[in-house]
Amino acid sequence: VHALPVEILSRIFVQGAHTGPSSPFLLRPHHKQPLSPQTPSLDFQILVSHVCQRWRTIALETPSLWTTLVFLEFRDIERGRALLARVFPKGTSKTITIVISTVAQASHIEGVTIAESELHRIFRMLRGYLPAWRALHLIVRDNKCKLVAREHLGGCGPALSLETLQLYHFEDFREAQDLYLATYRPPVVVFANILPRLRNVSLIGVNLPWEKSPYLYDGRLRGLELALHADKVRPPYELWERMLRGGVCSLEELSLHYSGPKVGEGEARYAWRSIDDEQVYLAKKQWRRRIWMPRLETLSLTDLDPDYLCKIMETLVLPAIRKLELELPDQDFTQFVEMLGVKKGEEVILPPPSVRVDAEPRTFPALWRVEHLSITALVCSADSWRGFLRALTGLKVLEIDFGRVSEEFWHVFM
């Protein structure tokens, strides 16, 4: 090992360090409490840098090993400052991933956790490196930290290298006044709307000024996650449709967790365009067209009302889904599952690989392409579940939490 060239050892270190989650989003939405960030650990980097003096020198002189800054505790602030100064000087061509998790002021422990004043310090330190930000994952848990984030993200200017933006606001609103303070202000424009490399957006309990966020509609997004949004802050259907169409329908990953387009009532711009609305079809044929998403391979659906979910799905055509994740508890989702499945007696026809399947009008015209199905919770009839499985002729990975589904799910396999 000691005879290996520096270049080889450096590459080995980099490969060993970069073993994080495949999703660009490190934070997972949860309706009760944010889960711990799936942060890329620095344990490997620290380990190899303590083996011997030669390895330490190589590790410290390999900037790509140290491009993730994680701020979960107060002590991480000085660690981050030292890291930036020592192995990531200003002017470098490398980029950084930033993970910040705060606590509510009521839970704050001075010198241990990160709250309002600490968040100010972190942003002041990081804004000098703004051109190098590659990803930002931020959790705020109270209105004070939310105001700090608004101030810095709304006033910091363009983020020319930012590829992933994940903003998470989770708060225990104990009084109506707390909820009012957190929601009465209109959302702010972030990064001056200049995000030329942005590819992944995750908004969990956070809404943007939908009409003033052009990067959501320019066709460059690859991943979109919307989660934990009350109806009044969700995007109007008109803007939702623009997000999904996105020029050439570039989305590859879509996740909806108690979110989606605003329910259509009142003004025409908020109205849903139903494919069964003959009056809309005759008056404005272009709204009749389904939203084709030929590149979408991963779809995740969590905690959505059955009728709302069906209404969303009937406007879409998803011919390329390979991974499907469902967490749909408490209500009956039989109608939705029937949209996915094959009725008893129907034949599953597999077209040759050279034949395009996106000419089919069904929402899922090629369910046989699904290779990975993950069900955390699902309520539906046994017949619809059997029909769903019949359609999954290409399935390779099946994950089911049998504690959150009916016994019929298991009996199908007996």
Side-chain angles (χ1 to χ4, degrees), residues 323-341:
K323 183 177 182 180
L324 183 60
E325 300 175 339
L326 303 175
E327 185 172 352
L328 303 171
D330 303 330
Q331 302 185 70
D332 187 357
F333 289 88
T334 296
Q335 183 180 356
F336 168 67
V337 176
E338 287 176 346
M339 293 175 64
L340 301 169

Side-chain angles (χ1 to χ4, degrees), residues 30 56 76 88 145 160 168-169 186-187 240 243 342 349 359:
H30 194 268
R56 178 175 178 80
D76 295 328
F88 200 88
C145 285
L160 302 180
Y168 194 157
H169 177 206
W240 159 261
M243 278 187 222
V342 175
I349 301 175

Side-chain angles (χ1 to χ4, degrees), residues 73-209:
E73 299 178 341
F74 178 81
R75 62 182 180 177
D76 295 328
I77 299 176
E78 289 308 313
R79 287 178 176 177
R81 191 187 307 279
L83 186 62
L84 286 169
R86 183 168 187 175
V87 298
F88 200 88
K90 295 180 183 179
T92 181
S93 60
K94 297 296 182 180
T95 54
I96 52 178
T97 292
I98 301 163
V99 182
I100 307 172
S101 181
T102 68
V103 300
Q105 193 64 42
S107 304
H108 180 47
I109 302 173
E110 194 72 30
V112 177
T113 57
I114 296 173
E116 178 187 11
S117 62
E118 292 79 13
L119 188 58
H120 266 303
R121 289 180 58 184
I122 292 170
F123 273 123
R124 291 188 188 114
M125 175 177 64
L126 294 176
R127 284 179 65 165
Y129 299 86
L130 180 60
W133 292 16
R134 179 180 66 249
L136 173 64
H137 308 268
L138 171 64
I139 295 179
V140 297
R141 288 183 170 88
D142 67 7
N143 189 52
K144 291 183 177 180
C145 285
K146 179 181 177 180
L147 292 177
V148 174
R150 286 169 60 98
E151 174 186 337
H152 289 279
L153 300 185
C156 65
L160 302 180
S161 299
L162 195 69
E163 298 177 4
T164 297
L165 176 62
Q166 186 169 38
L167 304 177
Y168 194 157
H169 177 206
F170 175 88
E171 188 168 349
D172 183 8
F173 299 111
R174 299 183 180 182
E175 298 181 5
Q177 180 68 9
D178 296 333
L179 177 60
Y180 172 76
L181 290 175
T183 58
Y184 83 95
R185 297 180 182 87
V188 297
V189 169
V190 296
F191 301 108
N193 273 344
I194 302 177
L195 298 150
R197 300 188 63 183
L198 191 64
R199 297 294 180 270
N200 306 292
V201 173
S202 170
L203 303 173
I204 307 172
V206 175
N207 61 303
L208 294 173

